[in-house]
Amino acid sequence: MTHSVHGLVPILATPFLPDGTLDRPGLRRLVEFQLTSGVDGVAVFGMASEGFALTLTERQLILRDVREVVADAVPVVAGVNGTSSVTALEQAREAADGGADALMVLPPFMVKPGPDQLVEFYGLVGEFAASADTEVMVQDAPGVTGVAMSAALIVELSKLDGVTSVKVEAPPTVPKVGAVADAIGDEDEFAVLGGQNAQFVLDEYARGSIGTMPACEFPDLLAPVLAAWNAGDRAGARAAFTRLLPLIVHGLQQGIAWAVHKEVLVRRGIIEHTTVRLPAKTLDAGGRSLLDEILAPLDLRAAR
C-alpha cells in the first residue's frame, strides 16, 4: 500500500462564531483558500484545528463540509486522538465513513504505552485502515503526548499493514527525519513529513522529508518556497522562507497559537471571528500589536 499524502498539507483551523458554535461558511471559505493556494492536501482535527475541543457531531459536520468542498482535488487527512485502541478505532471508523483518505493517528497517551504496545496499537488501527481503503499516518508528537518513539520504532511501524507515513514532530526534527528516511530508503512506499508549523521544513526536505503540515493561514506564501526548493533553487527558497519565518515561529507559542492563526485569517478576510475554545487563549492588545509588526513586512493581501 503506497501513501497518498505528501507536499504541502495544512492543518485547518476550526472557525467559530462569537457564541462558540461552528462557523461552517467560514470553514468552507478556508478550504477554498487552501485549494486556490495550491496545497497538496488538507487536514482536520489536528492540534492547530483545536481538535481536542470538538464534539463527535462537530467532527462529523466538519469532515462532511471539507470533503464536499475538496471533492477529489486533494487528499483529506483526519486526526485521530483516541486514548485507547477502542476509542481510536471508533474515531478511525467515523473518519473513514466521512470520506477521509488518511488518518493522522496520535499514540494513546493517558497511559504511556511501551514500544511493543505501540506496535500492537498501530497494527490494529492500520489493519482497520487497510480494510476501509484508507491509510494511517503515525503522528510522532511527544511534546503533546509525552510518548517517545525512536527512529527504529518508526521504521518498525512502517512495515505494518495500512501504515504509510509519519509526521515527525519530535525535536530536533531534522536528524530524526534523516534517520527514518535513510533507514526506509523508498519514499514512494513510506512518506516522512514534518510538522511544527513548518519551522524547519527546508532542512527536513534536505534530509528526506517529502511533505509538511503547518497551520493554514499562509499556504499561498509557503507553496512558492517549496516549489523553488523542489526545482533546485535552494538559495531562492531559503531567502523567501526567511521572510516568512517570524510568522511561523509566532504561531508556535503555547496557549495562544490558535489565536495567532485565527487573527491572521481574519485579517486576510478568510474567516470573520477569532473565537477560540477554552483552554486556548485569545490575544490581548499587546499581542495583536506585535502581530501587526510581524505581518507588515509580508504585505499580506486579502485572500478574498
Side-chain angles (χ1 to χ4, degrees), residues 24-274:
R24 295 176 69 185
L27 176 63
R28 287 175 172 268
R29 291 194 301 272
L30 180 58
V31 178
E32 290 166 353
F33 170 54
Q34 308 306 306
L35 296 177
T36 59
S37 298
V39 301
D40 301 294
V42 294
V44 294
F45 317 142
M47 284 300 295
S49 308
E50 294 173 81
F52 53 85
L54 300 173
T55 69
L56 173 59
T57 299
E58 288 169 340
R59 290 169 67 101
Q60 292 171 334
L61 290 172
I62 289 166
L63 184 54
R64 182 189 310 165
D65 287 350
V66 171
R67 181 80 271 176
E68 184 175 309
V69 176
V70 168
D72 295 322
V74 296
V76 175
V77 182
V80 170
N81 60 2
T83 52
S84 71
S85 57
V86 171
T87 53
L89 283 168
E90 179 182 60
Q91 289 186 17
R93 290 189 188 97
E94 286 287 343
D97 289 345
D101 299 291
L103 312 171
M104 181 173 65
V105 183
L106 281 173
F109 54 87
M110 291 297 292
V111 178
K112 304 298 188 253
D116 291 345
Q117 291 175 306
L118 287 170
V119 172
E120 182 178 5
F121 170 79
Y122 280 105
L124 289 170
V125 181
E127 181 180 8
F128 161 75
S131 70
D133 196 28
T134 184
E135 57 193 83
V136 167
M137 173 188 294
V138 175
Q139 188 172 5
D140 174 29
V144 174
T145 65
V147 177
M149 301 186 204
S150 67
L153 176 59
I154 293 172
V155 172
E156 287 303 307
L157 298 179
S158 74
K159 301 173 184 176
L160 297 171
D161 192 25
V163 177
T164 63
S165 60
V166 63
K167 180 186 179 187
V168 175
E169 299 189 275
T173 60
V174 175
K176 191 166 190 179
V177 163
V180 174
D182 289 347
I184 291 173
D186 188 351
E187 66 182 34
D188 292 330
E189 291 298 321
F190 188 81
V192 181
L193 298 92
Q196 291 290 308
N197 209 22
Q199 183 181 15
F200 296 104
V201 60
L202 297 184
D203 292 340
E204 290 166 353
Y205 268 42
R207 293 296 304 273
S209 171
I210 60 169
T212 189
M213 302 181 73
C216 64
E217 66 269 29
F218 53 86
D220 54 332
L221 303 182
L222 187 54
V225 173
L226 300 180
W229 181 273
N230 290 331
D233 182 11
R234 292 194 172 195
R238 288 197 182 277
F241 184 71
T242 298
R243 292 184 65 247
L244 187 54
L245 192 55
L247 176 58
I248 288 173
V249 174
H250 207 67
L252 286 168
Q253 298 176 87
Q254 292 187 3
I256 63 169
W258 301 279
V260 171
H261 305 323
K262 290 183 177 180
E263 287 277 355
V264 177
L265 289 169
V266 167
R267 294 178 196 208
R268 304 199 72 186
I270 300 164
I271 65 174
E272 296 180 356
H273 310 286
T274 61

